[in-house]
Short mmCIF file of all heavy atoms in Angstrom, two decimals:
data_model
loop_
_atom_site.label_atom_id
_atom_site.label_comp_id
_atom_site.label_asym_id
_atom_site.label_seq_id
_atom_site.Cartn_x
_atom_site.Cartn_y
_atom_site.Cartn_z
N TYR A 64 70.85 118.69 120.94
CA TYR A 64 69.75 119.30 120.22
C TYR A 64 69.65 120.77 120.61
O TYR A 64 69.94 121.14 121.74
CB TYR A 64 68.42 118.62 120.56
CG TYR A 64 68.19 117.29 119.91
CD1 TYR A 64 68.70 116.12 120.49
CD2 TYR A 64 67.45 117.17 118.74
CE1 TYR A 64 68.49 114.88 119.90
CE2 TYR A 64 67.23 115.95 118.14
CZ TYR A 64 67.75 114.81 118.72
OH TYR A 64 67.54 113.58 118.14
N MET A 72 62.67 121.23 118.10
CA MET A 72 63.99 120.71 118.45
C MET A 72 64.76 120.39 117.18
O MET A 72 64.24 119.74 116.27
CB MET A 72 63.85 119.43 119.27
CG MET A 72 63.12 119.62 120.58
SD MET A 72 64.22 120.13 121.87
CE MET A 72 64.98 118.59 122.28
N PHE A 132 67.03 112.68 127.93
CA PHE A 132 67.42 114.07 127.75
C PHE A 132 67.83 114.70 129.07
O PHE A 132 67.28 114.39 130.13
CB PHE A 132 66.26 114.89 127.16
CG PHE A 132 66.03 114.64 125.70
CD1 PHE A 132 65.29 113.54 125.28
CD2 PHE A 132 66.55 115.49 124.74
CE1 PHE A 132 65.08 113.31 123.94
CE2 PHE A 132 66.34 115.26 123.39
CZ PHE A 132 65.60 114.16 122.99
N VAL B 22 57.55 116.34 110.63
CA VAL B 22 56.68 115.89 111.71
C VAL B 22 55.74 117.03 112.01
O VAL B 22 56.18 118.14 112.32
CB VAL B 22 57.48 115.50 112.96
CG1 VAL B 22 56.53 115.03 114.06
CG2 VAL B 22 58.50 114.41 112.64
N GLN B 24 52.20 118.46 114.05
CA GLN B 24 51.30 118.27 115.18
C GLN B 24 50.04 119.08 114.91
O GLN B 24 50.11 120.17 114.33
CB GLN B 24 51.99 118.70 116.48
CG GLN B 24 53.16 117.79 116.83
CD GLN B 24 53.83 118.14 118.13
OE1 GLN B 24 55.05 118.27 118.18
NE2 GLN B 24 53.08 118.28 119.20
N CYS B 41 49.79 113.57 115.90
CA CYS B 41 51.12 113.75 115.32
C CYS B 41 51.22 112.90 114.07
O CYS B 41 50.82 111.72 114.08
CB CYS B 41 52.18 113.32 116.34
SG CYS B 41 53.87 113.37 115.72
N GLN B 43 53.96 111.87 110.78
CA GLN B 43 55.28 111.98 110.15
C GLN B 43 55.18 111.39 108.74
O GLN B 43 54.41 110.48 108.49
CB GLN B 43 56.38 111.29 110.99
CG GLN B 43 56.05 109.87 111.42
CD GLN B 43 56.58 108.78 110.50
OE1 GLN B 43 57.27 109.04 109.52
NE2 GLN B 43 56.26 107.54 110.85
N HIS B 47 58.92 106.38 109.24
CA HIS B 47 59.71 106.03 110.41
C HIS B 47 59.00 104.98 111.25
O HIS B 47 57.78 104.98 111.38
CB HIS B 47 59.96 107.28 111.28
CG HIS B 47 61.03 108.15 110.73
ND1 HIS B 47 61.37 109.35 111.34
CD2 HIS B 47 61.84 108.02 109.67
CE1 HIS B 47 62.37 109.89 110.66
NE2 HIS B 47 62.67 109.11 109.64
N ASN B 49 59.72 104.45 114.59
CA ASN B 49 59.51 104.92 115.97
C ASN B 49 58.79 106.25 116.01
O ASN B 49 59.09 107.16 115.22
CB ASN B 49 60.87 105.13 116.67
CG ASN B 49 61.70 103.87 116.75
OD1 ASN B 49 61.16 102.77 116.80
ND2 ASN B 49 63.00 104.04 116.77
N MET B 50 57.90 106.37 116.97
CA MET B 50 57.29 107.66 117.24
C MET B 50 57.20 107.84 118.75
O MET B 50 57.08 106.86 119.49
CB MET B 50 55.91 107.79 116.58
CG MET B 50 55.99 107.78 115.05
SD MET B 50 54.45 108.19 114.23
CE MET B 50 54.35 109.97 114.47
N PHE B 51 57.30 109.09 119.18
CA PHE B 51 57.44 109.40 120.60
C PHE B 51 56.54 110.57 120.98
O PHE B 51 56.31 111.47 120.16
CB PHE B 51 58.89 109.84 120.92
CG PHE B 51 59.94 108.90 120.42
CD1 PHE B 51 60.39 108.96 119.11
CD2 PHE B 51 60.51 107.97 121.26
CE1 PHE B 51 61.38 108.11 118.64
CE2 PHE B 51 61.50 107.11 120.81
CZ PHE B 51 61.93 107.18 119.50
N TRP B 52 56.10 110.55 122.23
CA TRP B 52 55.48 111.72 122.83
C TRP B 52 56.27 112.10 124.08
O TRP B 52 56.51 111.26 124.96
CB TRP B 52 54.02 111.46 123.22
CG TRP B 52 53.07 111.67 122.09
CD1 TRP B 52 52.40 110.73 121.38
CD2 TRP B 52 52.67 112.93 121.55
NE1 TRP B 52 51.62 111.30 120.42
CE2 TRP B 52 51.76 112.66 120.50
CE3 TRP B 52 52.98 114.27 121.83
CZ2 TRP B 52 51.16 113.67 119.74
CZ3 TRP B 52 52.39 115.27 121.09
CH2 TRP B 52 51.49 114.97 120.06
N TYR B 53 56.68 113.37 124.12
CA TYR B 53 57.38 113.93 125.26
C TYR B 53 56.56 115.06 125.85
O TYR B 53 55.79 115.73 125.16
CB TYR B 53 58.73 114.53 124.84
CG TYR B 53 59.76 113.55 124.37
CD1 TYR B 53 59.89 113.26 123.02
CD2 TYR B 53 60.63 112.95 125.26
CE1 TYR B 53 60.87 112.39 122.56
CE2 TYR B 53 61.62 112.07 124.81
CZ TYR B 53 61.73 111.80 123.47
OH TYR B 53 62.71 110.94 123.04
N LEU B 61 62.99 117.31 128.83
CA LEU B 61 62.00 116.49 128.13
C LEU B 61 61.83 115.18 128.87
O LEU B 61 62.81 114.52 129.19
CB LEU B 61 62.47 116.19 126.70
CG LEU B 61 62.13 117.19 125.63
CD1 LEU B 61 62.96 118.45 125.79
CD2 LEU B 61 62.35 116.61 124.24
N TYR B 65 55.19 108.21 126.22
CA TYR B 65 55.00 106.92 125.56
C TYR B 65 55.80 106.92 124.27
O TYR B 65 56.07 107.98 123.70
CB TYR B 65 53.52 106.72 125.17
CG TYR B 65 52.66 106.01 126.18
CD1 TYR B 65 51.84 106.74 127.04
CD2 TYR B 65 52.62 104.63 126.25
CE1 TYR B 65 51.03 106.11 127.97
CE2 TYR B 65 51.80 103.97 127.18
CZ TYR B 65 51.02 104.72 128.03
OH TYR B 65 50.20 104.09 128.94
N PHE B 66 56.15 105.73 123.81
CA PHE B 66 56.65 105.63 122.46
C PHE B 66 56.07 104.39 121.78
O PHE B 66 55.54 103.49 122.44
CB PHE B 66 58.18 105.66 122.42
CG PHE B 66 58.85 104.45 123.02
CD1 PHE B 66 59.22 103.37 122.23
CD2 PHE B 66 59.15 104.42 124.37
CE1 PHE B 66 59.86 102.28 122.78
CE2 PHE B 66 59.80 103.33 124.93
CZ PHE B 66 60.15 102.26 124.14
N SER B 67 56.20 104.38 120.49
CA SER B 67 55.68 103.29 119.69
C SER B 67 56.71 102.92 118.64
O SER B 67 57.27 103.81 118.00
CB SER B 67 54.38 103.71 119.01
OG SER B 67 54.00 102.78 118.02
N PHE B 92 50.50 109.09 115.26
CA PHE B 92 50.63 108.69 116.67
C PHE B 92 49.87 109.71 117.51
O PHE B 92 50.18 110.90 117.47
CB PHE B 92 52.12 108.65 117.06
CG PHE B 92 52.43 107.99 118.37
CD1 PHE B 92 51.71 106.90 118.83
CD2 PHE B 92 53.49 108.45 119.15
CE1 PHE B 92 52.04 106.27 120.03
CE2 PHE B 92 53.82 107.83 120.35
CZ PHE B 92 53.09 106.74 120.79
N LEU B 108 55.67 117.53 122.90
CA LEU B 108 56.48 117.38 121.68
C LEU B 108 56.36 115.96 121.15
O LEU B 108 56.52 114.99 121.90
CB LEU B 108 57.95 117.68 121.96
CG LEU B 108 58.28 119.13 122.30
CD1 LEU B 108 59.69 119.25 122.86
CD2 LEU B 108 58.15 120.01 121.07
N CYS B 109 56.11 115.86 119.86
CA CYS B 109 56.09 114.57 119.18
C CYS B 109 57.39 114.44 118.40
O CYS B 109 57.93 115.44 117.91
CB CYS B 109 54.89 114.52 118.23
SG CYS B 109 54.83 113.02 117.23
N ALA B 110 57.89 113.22 118.29
CA ALA B 110 59.11 112.98 117.52
C ALA B 110 59.02 111.64 116.82
O ALA B 110 58.21 110.78 117.19
CB ALA B 110 60.34 113.01 118.42
N SER B 111 59.84 111.48 115.79
CA SER B 111 59.93 110.18 115.13
C SER B 111 61.40 109.90 114.81
O SER B 111 62.22 110.81 114.70
CB SER B 111 59.09 110.15 113.86
OG SER B 111 59.66 110.95 112.84
N SER B 112 61.71 108.61 114.69
CA SER B 112 63.05 108.21 114.24
C SER B 112 62.92 106.94 113.41
O SER B 112 61.92 106.22 113.51
CB SER B 112 64.02 108.03 115.41
OG SER B 112 63.65 106.94 116.21
N GLU B 123 68.82 110.14 114.40
CA GLU B 123 68.32 111.15 115.33
C GLU B 123 66.81 111.19 115.34
O GLU B 123 66.15 110.67 114.43
CB GLU B 123 68.89 112.53 114.99
CG GLU B 123 68.23 113.20 113.78
CD GLU B 123 69.01 112.97 112.52
OE1 GLU B 123 69.67 111.90 112.39
OE2 GLU B 123 68.95 113.84 111.63
N GLN B 124 66.28 111.79 116.36
CA GLN B 124 64.85 112.00 116.42
C GLN B 124 64.50 113.32 115.74
O GLN B 124 65.19 114.32 115.93
CB GLN B 124 64.38 112.00 117.87
CG GLN B 124 64.54 110.64 118.54
CD GLN B 124 63.86 110.55 119.88
OE1 GLN B 124 63.10 111.42 120.30
NE2 GLN B 124 64.11 109.46 120.59
N PHE B 125 63.45 113.29 114.96
CA PHE B 125 62.94 114.49 114.31
C PHE B 125 61.69 114.93 115.06
O PHE B 125 60.79 114.13 115.28
CB PHE B 125 62.61 114.20 112.84
CG PHE B 125 63.81 113.86 112.03
CD1 PHE B 125 64.31 112.57 111.97
CD2 PHE B 125 64.47 114.85 111.30
CE1 PHE B 125 65.43 112.25 111.23
CE2 PHE B 125 65.59 114.54 110.54
CZ PHE B 125 66.07 113.25 110.51
N PHE B 126 61.65 116.18 115.39
CA PHE B 126 60.60 116.69 116.25
C PHE B 126 59.59 117.54 115.49
O PHE B 126 59.93 118.23 114.53
CB PHE B 126 61.20 117.54 117.37
CG PHE B 126 61.85 116.73 118.45
CD1 PHE B 126 63.13 116.24 118.29
CD2 PHE B 126 61.17 116.46 119.62
CE1 PHE B 126 63.74 115.48 119.28
CE2 PHE B 126 61.78 115.71 120.63
CZ PHE B 126 63.05 115.22 120.46
N GLY B 127 58.38 117.50 115.99
CA GLY B 127 57.36 118.44 115.53
C GLY B 127 57.51 119.77 116.25
O GLY B 127 58.36 119.92 117.13
#
Side-chain angles (χ1 to χ4, degrees):
Chain A
Y64 284 84
M72 298 274 282
F132 285 82
Chain B
V22 180
Q24 294 182 230
C41 176
Q43 51 94 3
H47 282 178
N49 300 331
M50 294 189 75
F51 309 83
W52 275 107
Y53 292 94
L61 272 72
Y65 268 99
F66 68 94
S67 168
F92 192 35
L108 292 168
C109 176
S111 71
S112 66
E123 76 264 31
Q124 294 190 9
F125 294 85
F126 284 81

